[in-house]
Amino acid sequence: MKLEGKIALVTGGSQGLGRAIALKLAEHGADIAIAYVGPEKPALDTCGEIESMGRRAKAYICDVRDEAAVNNTVKSVVQDLGKVDILVNNAGVTRDGLMVSMKDEDYNMVLDINLKGAFHMIRACYRDFVRRRSGKIINISSIVGLVGNVGQVNYSASKAGLIGLSKSVAKELGSRGICCNCIAPGFIETDMTKNITADNPLLMQVPMKRMGSPEDVANAALFLASPESDYITGETIRVDGGLAT
């Protein structure tokens, strides 16, 4: 699954799943643009690791809720690296709580970053993908977008929305040779799940009886970014150890 000559833009690419995906795509030949918010050091460290592989890497601070910031970031990536071939919408947050007590601002923030942010990014890349009649869009959803979860109505809605968004984009752009797919991770070892213990009742429902690794998700992203998946679009690949089966 060679990606030489490809440019990948990964949102939320400085840490966690985004970092693992960025490193995996770089390992297979892609140059990487990282869009991030928060501390600069993790983004620069990730870029340094990518550059040590002999690939180009640049980090761009970008709040995906801000349409103007997204448009400017995509323009900068094209100016700096030449184009965008692969878009990975990974940026996401949680603001958990029971629906009855959930604040509107917590609901809106999660939808705006997780779902509307992906919409902004896809729209910013849309015309160039169409012009070149190629492109891979990978949206990081979640199994809670498929099955729901107590205390996560906002997160579940945003991740379910990503699946619907991806199916629609796949139908709009399929005739132009552009693929749009989702990955739905389950329990993956990241900062978001660091408090889940081995005896957690939800984890015990996983047929494989363990968490997955960021590498597991990155491997799925590599496949969807590669030519080997050129006839797959509108699909959601679960990486969940069988939890949502």
Side-chain angles (χ1 to χ4, degrees), residues 180-215:
C180 183
N181 293 288
C182 276
I183 299 173
F187 288 114
I188 306 296
E189 293 173 344
T190 64
D191 286 343
M192 194 178 290
T193 60
K194 63 185 177 182
N195 294 323
I196 296 177
T197 58
D199 60 350
N200 185 288
L202 288 175
L203 187 57
M204 295 307 294
Q205 295 176 32
V206 178
M208 288 189 168
K209 304 302 180 186
R210 64 175 178 84
M211 285 193 187
S213 71
E215 186 87 354

Side-chain angles (χ1 to χ4, degrees), residues 5 22 54 104 132 145 160 191 196 204 207 216 221 233 241:
D104 281 3
R132 292 189 289 111
D191 286 343
I196 296 177
M204 295 307 294
D216 294 322
T233 193

Side-chain angles (χ1 to χ4, degrees), residues 34-40 43 58-64 69-70 72-73:
I34 289 172
Y36 74 101
V37 293
E40 182 181 43
K58 288 187 72 70
Y60 304 84
I61 189 162
C62 178
D63 184 342
V64 296
V70 167
N72 288 335
T73 295

Side-chain angles (χ1 to χ4, degrees), residues 150-172:
V150 173
Q152 288 193 310
V153 294
N154 49 1
Y155 189 72
S156 298
S158 71
K159 295 302 187 177
L162 274 177
I163 294 172
L165 174 71
S166 300
K167 289 179 181 293
S168 296
V169 171
K171 290 186 175 182
E172 282 193 24

Side-chain angles (χ1 to χ4, degrees), residues 10-23 34 46 88 90 140:
V10 183
T11 70
S14 62
Q15 302 181 75
L17 292 182
R19 177 179 181 276
I21 291 169
L23 293 175
I34 289 172
T46 302
V88 181
N90 168 74
I140 306 302

Side-chain angles (χ1 to χ4, degrees), residues 1 52 62 64 74 131 135 139 156 162 197 215 230 232 235 242:
M1 291 187 277
S52 72
C62 178
V64 296
V74 171
R131 181 181 60 80
N139 296 319
S156 298
L162 274 177
T197 58
E215 186 87 354
D230 279 355
I232 297 174
E235 186 56 84

